[in-house]
Amino acid sequence: MACVRIDEILKRAEPSFSVEFFPPKTEEGRTQLFETVEVLSKLDPAFFSVTYGAGGSTADRQTTLEITCAIREEHGVEAMAHLNCVGETAEGLRSVVDGIAEAGIENILALRGDPPRGSTDFVQPDGGLGSAAELAAMIAGTHPEMAIGGACFPEVHPEAASLEDDLAYLKTKVDAGASFLVTQLFFDNRAYFRFVEAARSAGIDVPIIPGVIPIVSYDQVKRTCALCDASIPEGLAASLEDLGGDERAEYEFGISYGAAQCAGLLASSAPGIHFYALNRWPATRAILGALRAERPWERAPRSDEPAATGALGRAT
């Protein structure tokens, strides 16, 4: 299939729906992943993305590339490979990007990468790069045909001293070549809209795609938020606590909450939704199916019309 750049996809009138997957470590996990890809591909997603192995090994890189290629070639969905700076030299990263380009992939999410487990600080590899902005600049300089994405944090990056400092650094990613951004997960739409407004004031004018994780269980939400420094609003936590550990009730509540959250984002002009599906399809399929049926983006205000938002950021 012919490659389509994600920044071009984001210029379309319809919102962009995308899903993030991670490389599985077992054959059973691989089967589950591609079952999810097959199911969700029927809902006409704009693209899928594949995360980069945390270890930064050659095997991790090859697995990410192989899965990204399989999604495009075998399932007919545009795909984006993630890439980070962990454990690799600048020369090695250039080689990885060359390999991605040779495979016909023109979309990369440029990331710095997390500190090693047990460490609180990122250490720049010897001969390597120290930031996502440096990686974006390298990709843009060697492969101008690539669409480069970047990550951003509606609740402020945990290592940033302030929102202003976080946005100042984020602008360096955009100036280096990032043509769209994908947010970390969040549950209160007000955080997203405040962040977008502040980003625009800071001169960041590229599309900012909200990242949403469907709630499957309360335990899952707590684990995931602890890993990525996202917060659970008090009202949401109380509602989940009230379900008393009933897994089916938590799942059904999660579908309802996720559909309302996404509808609120789209009705207030978000450019799409990026789902953190954790390689499973039922919750994402239910939420995306509901959005396709309701089409809340058709209620989005015109560019000259301010959006009014409620508790979840739903247009009122």
Side-chain angles (χ1 to χ4, degrees):
M1 60 178 283
C3 185
V4 183
R5 289 172 52 123
I6 290 170
D7 50 9
E8 292 299 321
I9 291 172
L10 290 166
K11 294 177 182 178
R12 298 172 182 172
E14 293 274 309
S16 161
F17 294 110
S18 53
V19 185
E20 181 173 299
F21 303 117
F22 61 86
K25 296 185 180 297
T26 65
E27 192 59 36
E28 180 182 3
R30 182 183 176 85
T31 298
Q32 176 182 291
L33 166 63
F34 281 102
E35 175 186 318
T36 298
V37 169
E38 178 64 22
V39 170
L40 296 182
S41 66
K42 295 175 181 176
L43 290 176
D44 193 27
F47 66 92
F48 291 148
S49 75
V50 183
T51 66
Y52 192 59
S57 69
T58 299
D60 291 326
R61 294 193 293 271
Q62 285 302 118
T63 300
T64 295
L65 180 56
E66 183 263 324
I67 292 172
T68 307
C69 289
I71 286 172
R72 293 189 72 250
E73 295 166 6
E74 298 173 21
H75 297 271
V77 178
E78 191 53 74
M80 173 172 68
H82 295 212
L83 180 62
N84 68 46
C85 304
V86 173
E88 187 57 90
T89 63
E91 182 179 352
L93 288 169
R94 277 191 290 271
S95 178
V96 173
V97 176
D98 289 344
I100 291 171
E102 288 168 7
I105 295 164
E106 294 185 1
N107 298 294
I108 295 183
L109 189 69
L111 305 163
R112 185 199 67 181
D114 295 326
R117 184 167 295 180
S119 174
T120 57
D121 299 316
F122 174 85
V123 177
Q124 182 171 342
D126 290 340
L129 304 180
S131 71
E134 292 177 15
L135 179 57
M138 186 202 76
I139 297 168
T142 57
H143 287 278
E145 78 281 6
M146 291 277 186
I148 304 166
C152 59
F153 297 77
E155 297 180 291
V156 183
H157 192 286
E159 296 176 25
S162 66
L163 173 62
E164 291 71 25
D165 286 351
D166 196 17
L167 290 171
Y169 169 64
L170 184 60
K171 191 171 188 308
T172 69
K173 291 188 196 180
V174 174
D175 291 344
S179 56
F180 63 95
L181 301 168
V182 182
T183 79
Q184 179 60 277
L185 68 92
F186 60 92
F187 292 104
D188 186 338
N189 287 357
R190 291 170 295 190
Y192 169 80
F193 291 118
R194 284 193 296 264
F195 179 80
V196 171
E197 182 178 6
R200 301 301 182 230
S201 296
I204 297 167
D205 59 1
V206 299
I208 301 175
I209 308 172
V212 171
I213 186 168
I215 298 171
V216 174
S217 75
Y218 190 22
D219 285 344
Q220 171 228 48
V221 166
K222 289 187 288 188
R223 287 195 304 270
T224 304
C225 288
L227 286 171
C228 63
D229 291 291
S231 66
I232 303 174
E234 288 184 10
L236 174 58
S239 294
L240 288 166
E241 291 280 0
D242 287 345
L243 298 177
D246 183 327
E247 292 183 0
R248 184 63 192 177
E250 289 175 355
Y251 174 81
E252 291 175 350
F253 174 87
I255 299 299
S256 177
Y257 191 93
Q261 181 183 12
C262 293
L265 291 162
L266 295 168
S268 295
S269 300
I273 304 291
H274 188 69
F275 291 99
Y276 296 108
L278 302 182
N279 290 11
R280 296 182 182 274
W281 58 262
T284 300
R285 184 178 72 167
I287 293 170
L288 182 49
L291 295 172
R292 291 282 192 203
E294 185 186 355
R295 301 180 66 82
W297 54 90
E298 294 180 349
R299 305 195 303 270
R302 300 185 305 272
S303 59
D304 61 346
E305 183 177 80
T309 57
L312 274 178
R314 293 190 293 273
T316 55

